[in-house]
Amino acid sequence: MFTRWNLSDDMDLLQREINQIFSGFTNPENRFRRLAFLPGSGARQYPLTNMGEDKDNYYLEAIAPGIDPEKLNISITGAVLTLSGEKMRISENIKPEAYHRSERAAGRFIRTIELPSNVKRDTINAEYKNGVLYLTLPKVEEDKPKEIQVKVL
């Protein structure tokens, strides 16, 4: 059976594929967002984080191996947490063009994370252990869940 070629259909297919490729750089749900140390939105995705909470605190874990904790900057403004610093190359003696393989990125980074609510700034605890940054961010009293007793009549 003979199939008729349609230029319009092929062009539409090509356009969709190109749009899908480029959406990877702007779509926050795409895998490309995990690329760090690149211009644009990818740079804000390092370090990778997990965040949870209980009734008193928010807990944030940031995977940040190879960073000198003394050069790690943590700041908070309102409900926005900012992590910044620089991840150094393994060896300063090897020129970038001399690497055979370079899968571990290096360079400056900045990551801004919006918290669900404001936190008590003066009691934030930060610890760095085995390449992981652990933050305990106490909630302000107004944002803690309040239990209300029901009176039985």
Side-chain angles (χ1 to χ4, degrees):
M1 176 173 229
F2 179 72
T3 305
R4 187 174 180 138
W5 179 66
N6 186 332
L7 176 63
S8 177
D9 289 346
D10 286 348
M11 292 301 290
D12 286 343
L13 177 62
L14 178 62
Q15 182 67 46
R16 282 194 306 272
E17 289 175 355
I18 290 172
N19 288 343
Q20 184 177 7
I21 290 168
F22 283 104
S23 74
F25 297 106
T26 58
N27 183 350
E29 297 303 317
N30 198 292
R31 290 181 201 167
F32 288 120
R33 67 180 252 193
R34 290 196 172 184
L35 296 174
F37 308 101
L38 295 175
S41 64
R44 291 186 290 276
Q45 300 307 317
Y46 183 86
L48 298 177
T49 61
N50 289 337
M51 189 168 77
E53 68 177 298
D54 61 19
K55 70 176 191 142
D56 296 321
N57 301 299
Y58 295 110
Y59 300 96
L60 186 117
E61 296 176 356
I63 300 173
I67 295 175
D68 180 0
E70 298 293 321
K71 295 183 179 179
L72 184 62
N73 301 310
I74 304 166
S75 65
I76 191 157
T77 304
V80 177
L81 175 73
T82 302
L83 305 173
S84 63
E86 184 172 4
K87 186 174 179 184
M88 303 304 288
R89 290 194 325 226
I90 292 176
S91 175
E92 295 296 323
N93 299 329
I94 302 173
K95 294 180 182 175
E97 62 271 11
Y99 276 93
H100 293 276
R101 180 174 295 222
S102 181
E103 296 177 355
R104 185 179 171 272
R108 292 189 174 277
F109 66 89
I110 184 167
R111 175 89 192 258
T112 304
I113 301 163
E114 191 167 340
L115 302 170
S117 66
N118 289 335
V119 297
K120 294 180 187 176
R121 296 181 200 191
D122 54 340
T123 56
I124 293 173
N125 183 36
E127 296 177 357
Y128 185 81
K129 181 179 178 185
N130 297 329
V132 180
L133 174 66
Y134 298 94
L135 293 175
T136 303
L137 305 142
K139 295 179 182 180
V140 293
E141 290 299 321
E142 301 86 58
D143 291 336
K144 289 184 184 179
K146 187 99 173 165
E147 289 188 25
I148 299 171
Q149 295 292 327
V150 177
K151 296 178 184 177
V152 180
L153 302 173

